[in-house]
Amino acid sequence: MKLPKKTKRYCPKCKKHTDHTVSTAKQKSRSATHPLSRGSLSRQKARGLRRGFGNKGRFSKKAPKSWKRKTKVTRRIVLLYKCKDCGKSSGIKKAIRSGRIEIGEKVAK
Ligand SMILES: [Zn+2]
């Protein structure tokens, strides 16, 4: 997927269309103060995985030997747009799936 290095987008802070530079979001590591803040049981409950009725894909599965999981060849890429006027950056609402991404000329991972 090819993208331009900069585009014109609406900036919520400047409240007008300004020039934005395009980059991709990197995977963030866990912080030292909250190392399990995203993998907690309370978070799972909040997602609705541990209560209610129904199978939720947990019990009626085939035996693990009889199926093989396909590995995905694409990744989900979150784009970040940084405003040139105020320096604020904002991401896109929904990540795109793409194997390779080119911003301007350089290939970003
Ligand atoms: Zn701005």
mmCIF file of all heavy atoms in Angstrom, residues 5-52:
data_model
loop_
_atom_site.group_PDB
_atom_site.id
_atom_site.type_symbol
_atom_site.label_atom_id
_atom_site.label_comp_id
_atom_site.label_asym_id
_atom_site.label_seq_id
_atom_site.Cartn_x
_atom_site.Cartn_y
_atom_site.Cartn_z
ATOM 1 N N LYS A 5 3.452 11.253 1.655
ATOM 2 C CA LYS A 5 4.170 11.615 2.869
ATOM 3 C C LYS A 5 3.384 12.639 3.685
ATOM 4 O O LYS A 5 3.420 12.643 4.900
ATOM 5 C CB LYS A 5 5.538 12.181 2.503
ATOM 6 C CG LYS A 5 6.591 11.941 3.577
ATOM 7 C CD LYS A 5 7.902 12.544 3.195
ATOM 8 C CE LYS A 5 8.700 11.610 2.305
ATOM 9 N NZ LYS A 5 9.964 12.256 1.876
ATOM 10 N N LYS A 6 2.682 13.510 2.990
ATOM 11 C CA LYS A 6 1.851 14.465 3.728
ATOM 12 C C LYS A 6 0.546 14.718 2.990
ATOM 13 O O LYS A 6 0.490 14.657 1.758
ATOM 14 C CB LYS A 6 2.593 15.778 3.961
ATOM 15 C CG LYS A 6 3.059 16.474 2.725
ATOM 16 C CD LYS A 6 3.783 17.750 3.101
ATOM 17 C CE LYS A 6 4.309 18.452 1.870
ATOM 18 N NZ LYS A 6 4.960 19.703 2.207
ATOM 19 N N THR A 7 -0.472 14.940 3.770
ATOM 20 C CA THR A 7 -1.797 15.204 3.208
ATOM 21 C C THR A 7 -2.422 16.379 3.931
ATOM 22 O O THR A 7 -1.931 16.821 4.970
ATOM 23 C CB THR A 7 -2.730 13.996 3.382
ATOM 24 O OG1 THR A 7 -2.683 13.575 4.727
ATOM 25 C CG2 THR A 7 -2.380 12.864 2.473
ATOM 26 N N LYS A 8 -3.526 16.831 3.372
ATOM 27 C CA LYS A 8 -4.306 17.866 4.054
ATOM 28 C C LYS A 8 -5.467 17.192 4.740
ATOM 29 O O LYS A 8 -6.230 16.454 4.128
ATOM 30 C CB LYS A 8 -4.800 18.897 3.042
ATOM 31 C CG LYS A 8 -3.891 20.088 2.936
ATOM 32 C CD LYS A 8 -4.643 21.295 2.448
ATOM 33 C CE LYS A 8 -3.907 22.545 2.887
ATOM 34 N NZ LYS A 8 -4.510 23.744 2.319
ATOM 35 N N ARG A 9 -5.551 17.413 6.050
ATOM 36 C CA ARG A 9 -6.638 16.831 6.828
ATOM 37 C C ARG A 9 -7.173 17.879 7.779
ATOM 38 O O ARG A 9 -6.528 18.888 8.047
ATOM 39 C CB ARG A 9 -6.123 15.659 7.674
ATOM 40 C CG ARG A 9 -5.734 14.457 6.916
ATOM 41 C CD ARG A 9 -5.451 13.354 7.899
ATOM 42 N NE ARG A 9 -6.406 12.286 7.739
ATOM 43 C CZ ARG A 9 -7.068 11.718 8.738
ATOM 44 N NH1 ARG A 9 -6.905 12.124 9.954
ATOM 45 N NH2 ARG A 9 -7.887 10.732 8.521
ATOM 46 N N TYR A 10 -8.337 17.544 8.337
ATOM 47 C CA TYR A 10 -8.932 18.432 9.318
ATOM 48 C C TYR A 10 -8.262 18.225 10.662
ATOM 49 O O TYR A 10 -8.123 17.093 11.129
ATOM 50 C CB TYR A 10 -10.427 18.149 9.429
ATOM 51 C CG TYR A 10 -11.119 18.986 10.464
ATOM 52 C CD1 TYR A 10 -11.379 20.335 10.213
ATOM 53 C CD2 TYR A 10 -11.493 18.444 11.686
ATOM 54 C CE1 TYR A 10 -12.010 21.107 11.158
ATOM 55 C CE2 TYR A 10 -12.119 19.212 12.640
ATOM 56 C CZ TYR A 10 -12.374 20.542 12.375
ATOM 57 O OH TYR A 10 -12.991 21.313 13.317
ATOM 58 N N CYS A 11 -7.817 19.285 11.296
ATOM 59 C CA CYS A 11 -7.215 19.195 12.624
ATOM 60 C C CYS A 11 -8.233 19.671 13.644
ATOM 61 O O CYS A 11 -8.713 20.792 13.568
ATOM 62 C CB CYS A 11 -5.952 20.041 12.697
ATOM 63 S SG CYS A 11 -5.258 20.101 14.356
ATOM 64 N N PRO A 12 -8.611 18.813 14.604
ATOM 65 C CA PRO A 12 -9.613 19.227 15.587
ATOM 66 C C PRO A 12 -9.137 20.356 16.504
ATOM 67 O O PRO A 12 -9.953 21.056 17.091
ATOM 68 C CB PRO A 12 -9.863 17.954 16.402
ATOM 69 C CG PRO A 12 -9.215 16.855 15.680
ATOM 70 C CD PRO A 12 -8.179 17.437 14.796
ATOM 71 N N LYS A 13 -7.815 20.471 16.662
ATOM 72 C CA LYS A 13 -7.336 21.515 17.558
ATOM 73 C C LYS A 13 -7.297 22.867 16.855
ATOM 74 O O LYS A 13 -7.718 23.879 17.404
ATOM 75 C CB LYS A 13 -5.945 21.160 18.070
ATOM 76 C CG LYS A 13 -5.704 21.864 19.374
ATOM 77 C CD LYS A 13 -4.304 21.758 19.885
ATOM 78 C CE LYS A 13 -4.195 22.572 21.160
ATOM 79 N NZ LYS A 13 -2.853 23.101 21.350
ATOM 80 N N CYS A 14 -6.777 22.877 15.629
ATOM 81 C CA CYS A 14 -6.746 24.137 14.871
ATOM 82 C C CYS A 14 -8.118 24.465 14.294
ATOM 83 O O CYS A 14 -8.353 25.588 13.875
ATOM 84 C CB CYS A 14 -5.730 24.041 13.737
ATOM 85 S SG CYS A 14 -4.087 23.570 14.248
ATOM 86 N N LYS A 15 -9.007 23.491 14.243
ATOM 87 C CA LYS A 15 -10.364 23.631 13.714
ATOM 88 C C LYS A 15 -10.372 24.073 12.257
ATOM 89 O O LYS A 15 -11.185 24.902 11.837
ATOM 90 C CB LYS A 15 -11.192 24.585 14.580
ATOM 91 C CG LYS A 15 -11.527 23.963 15.918
ATOM 92 C CD LYS A 15 -12.336 24.895 16.781
ATOM 93 C CE LYS A 15 -12.651 24.203 18.103
ATOM 94 N NZ LYS A 15 -13.170 25.124 19.093
ATOM 95 N N LYS A 16 -9.413 23.575 11.492
ATOM 96 C CA LYS A 16 -9.400 23.837 10.060
ATOM 97 C C LYS A 16 -8.522 22.778 9.387
ATOM 98 O O LYS A 16 -7.868 21.992 10.068
ATOM 99 C CB LYS A 16 -8.871 25.235 9.764
ATOM 100 C CG LYS A 16 -7.454 25.445 10.255
ATOM 101 C CD LYS A 16 -6.960 26.825 9.940
ATOM 102 C CE LYS A 16 -5.528 26.969 10.423
ATOM 103 N NZ LYS A 16 -5.016 28.322 10.246
ATOM 104 N N HIS A 17 -8.500 22.795 8.081
ATOM 105 C CA HIS A 17 -7.648 21.860 7.348
ATOM 106 C C HIS A 17 -6.212 22.366 7.317
ATOM 107 O O HIS A 17 -5.974 23.515 6.966
ATOM 108 C CB HIS A 17 -8.178 21.681 5.923
ATOM 109 C CG HIS A 17 -9.258 20.647 5.847
ATOM 110 N ND1 HIS A 17 -10.538 20.888 6.287
ATOM 111 C CD2 HIS A 17 -9.243 19.370 5.403
ATOM 112 C CE1 HIS A 17 -11.267 19.798 6.100
ATOM 113 N NE2 HIS A 17 -10.519 18.860 5.566
ATOM 114 N N THR A 18 -5.295 21.495 7.731
ATOM 115 C CA THR A 18 -3.881 21.850 7.721
ATOM 116 C C THR A 18 -3.088 20.702 7.109
ATOM 117 O O THR A 18 -3.614 19.620 6.872
ATOM 118 C CB THR A 18 -3.361 22.105 9.158
ATOM 119 O OG1 THR A 18 -3.714 20.987 9.960
ATOM 120 C CG2 THR A 18 -3.947 23.367 9.743
ATOM 121 N N ASP A 19 -1.796 20.951 6.878
ATOM 122 C CA ASP A 19 -0.917 19.897 6.376
ATOM 123 C C ASP A 19 -0.585 18.923 7.499
ATOM 124 O O ASP A 19 -0.258 19.322 8.610
ATOM 125 C CB ASP A 19 0.384 20.509 5.830
ATOM 126 C CG ASP A 19 0.168 21.073 4.443
ATOM 127 O OD1 ASP A 19 -0.746 20.587 3.747
ATOM 128 O OD2 ASP A 19 0.898 21.996 4.071
ATOM 129 N N HIS A 20 -0.655 17.634 7.183
ATOM 130 C CA HIS A 20 -0.341 16.597 8.159
ATOM 131 C C HIS A 20 0.724 15.678 7.572
ATOM 132 O O HIS A 20 0.671 15.352 6.393
ATOM 133 C CB HIS A 20 -1.575 15.758 8.493
ATOM 134 C CG HIS A 20 -2.540 16.432 9.419
ATOM 135 N ND1 HIS A 20 -3.282 17.512 9.048
ATOM 136 C CD2 HIS A 20 -2.867 16.161 10.694
ATOM 137 C CE1 HIS A 20 -4.038 17.882 10.070
ATOM 138 N NE2 HIS A 20 -3.808 17.081 11.080
ATOM 139 N N THR A 21 1.655 15.254 8.435
ATOM 140 C CA THR A 21 2.614 14.242 8.006
ATOM 141 C C THR A 21 2.102 12.871 8.434
ATOM 142 O O THR A 21 1.494 12.717 9.492
ATOM 143 C CB THR A 21 3.997 14.481 8.630
ATOM 144 O OG1 THR A 21 3.841 14.621 10.033
ATOM 145 C CG2 THR A 21 4.652 15.705 8.060
ATOM 146 N N VAL A 22 2.369 11.872 7.594
ATOM 147 C CA VAL A 22 1.835 10.528 7.813
ATOM 148 C C VAL A 22 2.927 9.642 8.381
ATOM 149 O O VAL A 22 4.071 9.666 7.921
ATOM 150 C CB VAL A 22 1.314 9.933 6.479
ATOM 151 C CG1 VAL A 22 0.661 8.595 6.720
ATOM 152 C CG2 VAL A 22 0.334 10.878 5.832
ATOM 153 N N SER A 23 2.585 8.880 9.420
ATOM 154 C CA SER A 23 3.502 7.874 9.954
ATOM 155 C C SER A 23 2.673 6.714 10.490
ATOM 156 O O SER A 23 1.454 6.797 10.557
ATOM 157 C CB SER A 23 4.394 8.460 11.055
ATOM 158 O OG SER A 23 3.601 8.848 12.146
ATOM 159 N N THR A 24 3.339 5.657 10.883
ATOM 160 C CA THR A 24 2.623 4.512 11.432
ATOM 161 C C THR A 24 2.887 4.408 12.926
ATOM 162 O O THR A 24 3.958 4.773 13.399
ATOM 163 C CB THR A 24 3.060 3.199 10.766
ATOM 164 O OG1 THR A 24 4.475 3.082 10.878
ATOM 165 C CG2 THR A 24 2.650 3.158 9.319
ATOM 166 N N ALA A 25 1.908 3.890 13.645
ATOM 167 C CA ALA A 25 2.043 3.708 15.088
ATOM 168 C C ALA A 25 2.867 2.465 15.363
ATOM 169 O O ALA A 25 2.728 1.458 14.681
ATOM 170 C CB ALA A 25 0.677 3.585 15.729
ATOM 171 N N LYS A 26 3.711 2.560 16.361
ATOM 172 C CA LYS A 26 4.552 1.426 16.735
ATOM 173 C C LYS A 26 3.927 0.686 17.909
ATOM 174 O O LYS A 26 3.157 1.254 18.676
ATOM 175 C CB LYS A 26 5.954 1.918 17.138
ATOM 176 C CG LYS A 26 6.666 2.700 16.059
ATOM 177 C CD LYS A 26 7.230 1.785 15.014
ATOM 178 C CE LYS A 26 8.010 2.533 13.947
ATOM 179 N NZ LYS A 26 7.223 3.520 13.210
ATOM 180 N N GLN A 27 4.295 -0.573 18.028
ATOM 181 C CA GLN A 27 3.830 -1.374 19.162
ATOM 182 C C GLN A 27 4.443 -0.837 20.438
ATOM 183 O O GLN A 27 5.661 -0.680 20.530
ATOM 184 C CB GLN A 27 4.241 -2.826 18.949
ATOM 185 C CG GLN A 27 3.758 -3.782 20.012
ATOM 186 C CD GLN A 27 2.346 -4.258 19.749
ATOM 187 O OE1 GLN A 27 2.035 -4.649 18.648
ATOM 188 N NE2 GLN A 27 1.509 -4.203 20.762
ATOM 189 N N LYS A 28 3.573 -0.587 21.412
ATOM 190 C CA LYS A 28 4.086 -0.037 22.658
ATOM 191 C C LYS A 28 4.357 -1.159 23.647
ATOM 192 O O LYS A 28 3.588 -2.120 23.741
ATOM 193 C CB LYS A 28 3.082 0.942 23.248
ATOM 194 C CG LYS A 28 3.177 2.299 22.585
ATOM 195 C CD LYS A 28 2.179 3.239 23.169
ATOM 196 C CE LYS A 28 2.227 4.542 22.382
ATOM 197 N NZ LYS A 28 1.051 5.342 22.654
ATOM 198 N N SER A 29 5.425 -1.032 24.409
ATOM 199 C CA SER A 29 5.752 -2.045 25.402
ATOM 200 C C SER A 29 4.984 -1.756 26.684
ATOM 201 O O SER A 29 4.474 -0.663 26.894
ATOM 202 C CB SER A 29 7.249 -2.061 25.677
ATOM 203 O OG SER A 29 7.649 -0.792 26.125
ATOM 204 N N ARG A 30 4.927 -2.773 27.559
ATOM 205 C CA ARG A 30 4.180 -2.616 28.794
ATOM 206 C C ARG A 30 4.942 -1.731 29.750
ATOM 207 O O ARG A 30 6.166 -1.806 29.849
ATOM 208 C CB ARG A 30 3.948 -3.991 29.400
ATOM 209 C CG ARG A 30 3.026 -4.798 28.529
ATOM 210 C CD ARG A 30 2.443 -5.943 29.281
ATOM 211 N NE ARG A 30 1.135 -6.250 28.731
ATOM 212 C CZ ARG A 30 0.633 -7.470 28.665
ATOM 213 N NH1 ARG A 30 1.338 -8.481 29.101
ATOM 214 N NH2 ARG A 30 -0.541 -7.683 28.180
ATOM 215 N N SER A 31 4.207 -0.933 30.486
ATOM 216 C CA SER A 31 4.851 -0.014 31.401
ATOM 217 C C SER A 31 5.229 -0.734 32.687
ATOM 218 O O SER A 31 4.666 -1.777 33.031
ATOM 219 C CB SER A 31 3.915 1.149 31.712
ATOM 220 O OG SER A 31 2.835 0.692 32.489
ATOM 221 N N ALA A 32 6.173 -0.168 33.417
ATOM 222 C CA ALA A 32 6.645 -0.797 34.652
ATOM 223 C C ALA A 32 5.624 -0.672 35.767
ATOM 224 O O ALA A 32 5.504 -1.549 36.625
ATOM 225 C CB ALA A 32 7.966 -0.166 35.085
ATOM 226 N N THR A 33 4.856 0.397 35.755
ATOM 227 C CA THR A 33 3.881 0.593 36.828
ATOM 228 C C THR A 33 2.618 -0.226 36.604
ATOM 229 O O THR A 33 2.027 -0.718 37.562
ATOM 230 C CB THR A 33 3.506 2.074 36.943
ATOM 231 O OG1 THR A 33 3.360 2.602 35.638
ATOM 232 C CG2 THR A 33 4.547 2.835 37.696
ATOM 233 N N HIS A 34 2.200 -0.403 35.354
ATOM 234 C CA HIS A 34 1.005 -1.203 35.065
ATOM 235 C C HIS A 34 1.337 -2.259 34.024
ATOM 236 O O HIS A 34 0.955 -2.137 32.858
ATOM 237 C CB HIS A 34 -0.144 -0.322 34.579
ATOM 238 C CG HIS A 34 -0.456 0.803 35.506
ATOM 239 N ND1 HIS A 34 -1.118 0.599 36.695
ATOM 240 C CD2 HIS A 34 -0.180 2.116 35.439
ATOM 241 C CE1 HIS A 34 -1.240 1.770 37.300
ATOM 242 N NE2 HIS A 34 -0.688 2.696 36.573
ATOM 243 N N PRO A 35 2.054 -3.310 34.413
ATOM 244 C CA PRO A 35 2.512 -4.267 33.394
ATOM 245 C C PRO A 35 1.406 -5.116 32.800
ATOM 246 O O PRO A 35 1.521 -5.585 31.684
ATOM 247 C CB PRO A 35 3.525 -5.125 34.147
ATOM 248 C CG PRO A 35 3.226 -4.943 35.565
ATOM 249 C CD PRO A 35 2.598 -3.614 35.732
ATOM 250 N N LEU A 36 0.314 -5.327 33.541
ATOM 251 C CA LEU A 36 -0.748 -6.185 33.015
ATOM 252 C C LEU A 36 -2.041 -5.404 32.839
ATOM 253 O O LEU A 36 -3.130 -5.954 32.961
ATOM 254 C CB LEU A 36 -0.988 -7.373 33.963
ATOM 255 C CG LEU A 36 0.154 -8.379 34.062
ATOM 256 C CD1 LEU A 36 -0.159 -9.378 35.142
ATOM 257 C CD2 LEU A 36 0.341 -9.099 32.747
ATOM 258 N N SER A 37 -1.920 -4.153 32.574
ATOM 259 C CA SER A 37 -3.109 -3.313 32.572
ATOM 260 C C SER A 37 -4.060 -3.677 31.445
ATOM 261 O O SER A 37 -5.227 -3.347 31.498
ATOM 262 C CB SER A 37 -2.705 -1.857 32.459
ATOM 263 O OG SER A 37 -2.020 -1.653 31.261
ATOM 264 N N ARG A 38 -3.584 -4.349 30.403
ATOM 265 C CA ARG A 38 -4.467 -4.688 29.302
ATOM 266 C C ARG A 38 -4.835 -6.157 29.282
ATOM 267 O O ARG A 38 -5.616 -6.583 28.471
ATOM 268 C CB ARG A 38 -3.805 -4.317 27.963
ATOM 269 C CG ARG A 38 -4.030 -2.878 27.659
ATOM 270 C CD ARG A 38 -3.179 -2.411 26.535
ATOM 271 N NE ARG A 38 -3.527 -1.041 26.248
ATOM 272 C CZ ARG A 38 -4.487 -0.687 25.423
ATOM 273 N NH1 ARG A 38 -5.168 -1.595 24.780
ATOM 274 N NH2 ARG A 38 -4.758 0.569 25.218
ATOM 275 N N GLY A 39 -4.256 -6.951 30.179
ATOM 276 C CA GLY A 39 -4.557 -8.371 30.136
ATOM 277 C C GLY A 39 -5.229 -8.874 31.389
ATOM 278 O O GLY A 39 -5.143 -10.038 31.700
ATOM 279 N N SER A 40 -5.899 -8.007 32.112
ATOM 280 C CA SER A 40 -6.439 -8.403 33.394
ATOM 281 C C SER A 40 -7.764 -9.118 33.246
ATOM 282 O O SER A 40 -8.426 -9.043 32.213
ATOM 283 C CB SER A 40 -6.615 -7.196 34.285
ATOM 284 O OG SER A 40 -7.610 -6.372 33.738
ATOM 285 N N LEU A 41 -8.167 -9.822 34.307
ATOM 286 C CA LEU A 41 -9.435 -10.532 34.315
ATOM 287 C C LEU A 41 -10.602 -9.565 34.266
ATOM 288 O O LEU A 41 -11.607 -9.813 33.593
ATOM 289 C CB LEU A 41 -9.516 -11.383 35.584
ATOM 290 C CG LEU A 41 -10.523 -12.527 35.577
ATOM 291 C CD1 LEU A 41 -10.018 -13.621 34.676
ATOM 292 C CD2 LEU A 41 -10.704 -13.035 36.973
ATOM 293 N N SER A 42 -10.470 -8.474 34.970
ATOM 294 C CA SER A 42 -11.556 -7.501 34.983
ATOM 295 C C SER A 42 -11.771 -6.917 33.592
ATOM 296 O O SER A 42 -12.890 -6.590 33.204
ATOM 297 C CB SER A 42 -11.235 -6.390 35.977
ATOM 298 O OG SER A 42 -10.017 -5.788 35.655
ATOM 299 N N ARG A 43 -10.692 -6.827 32.840
ATOM 300 C CA ARG A 43 -10.821 -6.321 31.477
ATOM 301 C C ARG A 43 -11.509 -7.338 30.580
ATOM 302 O O ARG A 43 -12.299 -6.981 29.718
ATOM 303 C CB ARG A 43 -9.436 -5.990 30.936
ATOM 304 C CG ARG A 43 -9.435 -4.792 30.041
ATOM 305 C CD ARG A 43 -8.055 -4.525 29.534
ATOM 306 N NE ARG A 43 -8.116 -4.305 28.109
ATOM 307 C CZ ARG A 43 -8.417 -3.156 27.560
ATOM 308 N NH1 ARG A 43 -8.656 -2.128 28.313
ATOM 309 N NH2 ARG A 43 -8.465 -3.024 26.265
ATOM 310 N N GLN A 44 -11.199 -8.623 30.812
ATOM 311 C CA GLN A 44 -11.875 -9.673 30.056
ATOM 312 C C GLN A 44 -13.358 -9.668 30.356
ATOM 313 O O GLN A 44 -14.191 -9.812 29.464
ATOM 314 C CB GLN A 44 -11.301 -11.028 30.446
ATOM 315 C CG GLN A 44 -10.109 -11.451 29.636
ATOM 316 C CD GLN A 44 -9.679 -12.860 30.012
ATOM 317 O OE1 GLN A 44 -10.426 -13.612 30.612
ATOM 318 N NE2 GLN A 44 -8.461 -13.193 29.671
ATOM 319 N N LYS A 45 -13.704 -9.504 31.635
ATOM 320 C CA LYS A 45 -15.104 -9.467 32.025
ATOM 321 C C LYS A 45 -15.803 -8.285 31.370
ATOM 322 O O LYS A 45 -16.948 -8.389 30.936
ATOM 323 C CB LYS A 45 -15.212 -9.341 33.544
ATOM 324 C CG LYS A 45 -15.123 -10.665 34.244
ATOM 325 C CD LYS A 45 -15.263 -10.437 35.733
ATOM 326 C CE LYS A 45 -15.070 -11.742 36.469
ATOM 327 N NZ LYS A 45 -14.961 -11.509 37.905
ATOM 328 N N ALA A 46 -15.109 -7.211 31.316
ATOM 329 C CA ALA A 46 -15.689 -6.024 30.707
ATOM 330 C C ALA A 46 -15.957 -6.245 29.236
ATOM 331 O O ALA A 46 -16.881 -5.679 28.669
ATOM 332 C CB ALA A 46 -14.754 -4.839 30.905
ATOM 333 N N ARG A 47 -15.167 -7.102 28.611
ATOM 334 C CA ARG A 47 -15.377 -7.407 27.210
ATOM 335 C C ARG A 47 -16.488 -8.434 27.023
ATOM 336 O O ARG A 47 -16.844 -8.738 25.901
ATOM 337 C CB ARG A 47 -14.076 -7.929 26.605
ATOM 338 C CG ARG A 47 -13.309 -6.871 25.875
ATOM 339 C CD ARG A 47 -12.143 -7.480 25.144
ATOM 340 N NE ARG A 47 -10.963 -7.471 25.994
ATOM 341 C CZ ARG A 47 -10.159 -8.505 26.145
ATOM 342 N NH1 ARG A 47 -10.404 -9.628 25.525
ATOM 343 N NH2 ARG A 47 -9.119 -8.416 26.907
ATOM 344 N N GLY A 48 -16.976 -9.012 28.111
ATOM 345 C CA GLY A 48 -18.084 -9.946 28.021
ATOM 346 C C GLY A 48 -17.676 -11.351 27.689
ATOM 347 O O GLY A 48 -18.445 -12.113 27.134
ATOM 348 N N LEU A 49 -16.457 -11.721 28.024
ATOM 349 C CA LEU A 49 -15.997 -13.061 27.672
ATOM 350 C C LEU A 49 -16.234 -14.067 28.772
ATOM 351 O O LEU A 49 -16.098 -15.256 28.570
ATOM 352 C CB LEU A 49 -14.501 -13.036 27.339
ATOM 353 C CG LEU A 49 -14.133 -12.424 26.007
ATOM 354 C CD1 LEU A 49 -12.646 -12.297 25.908
ATOM 355 C CD2 LEU A 49 -14.645 -13.267 24.873
ATOM 356 N N ARG A 50 -16.548 -13.629 29.968
ATOM 357 C CA ARG A 50 -16.593 -14.563 31.078
ATOM 358 C C ARG A 50 -17.974 -14.686 31.699
ATOM 359 O O ARG A 50 -18.125 -15.232 32.758
ATOM 360 C CB ARG A 50 -15.597 -14.151 32.148
ATOM 361 C CG ARG A 50 -14.178 -14.484 31.769
ATOM 362 C CD ARG A 50 -13.235 -14.134 32.869
ATOM 363 N NE ARG A 50 -13.434 -14.987 34.036
ATOM 364 C CZ ARG A 50 -12.901 -16.190 34.188
ATOM 365 N NH1 ARG A 50 -12.140 -16.673 33.265
ATOM 366 N NH2 ARG A 50 -13.114 -16.887 35.268
ATOM 367 N N ARG A 51 -18.982 -14.135 31.084
ATOM 368 C CA ARG A 51 -20.319 -14.292 31.657
ATOM 369 C C ARG A 51 -21.337 -14.348 30.543
ATOM 370 O O ARG A 51 -20.983 -14.229 29.372
ATOM 371 C CB ARG A 51 -20.621 -13.170 32.636
ATOM 372 C CG ARG A 51 -20.509 -11.786 32.046
ATOM 373 C CD ARG A 51 -20.804 -10.761 33.083
ATOM 374 N NE ARG A 51 -19.898 -10.920 34.229
ATOM 375 C CZ ARG A 51 -19.965 -10.198 35.326
ATOM 376 N NH1 ARG A 51 -20.903 -9.300 35.445
ATOM 377 N NH2 ARG A 51 -19.122 -10.355 36.305
ATOM 378 N N GLY A 52 -22.601 -14.569 30.961
ATOM 379 C CA GLY A 52 -23.654 -14.707 29.971
ATOM 380 C C GLY A 52 -23.817 -16.143 29.555
ATOM 381 O O GLY A 52 -23.291 -17.042 30.190
#
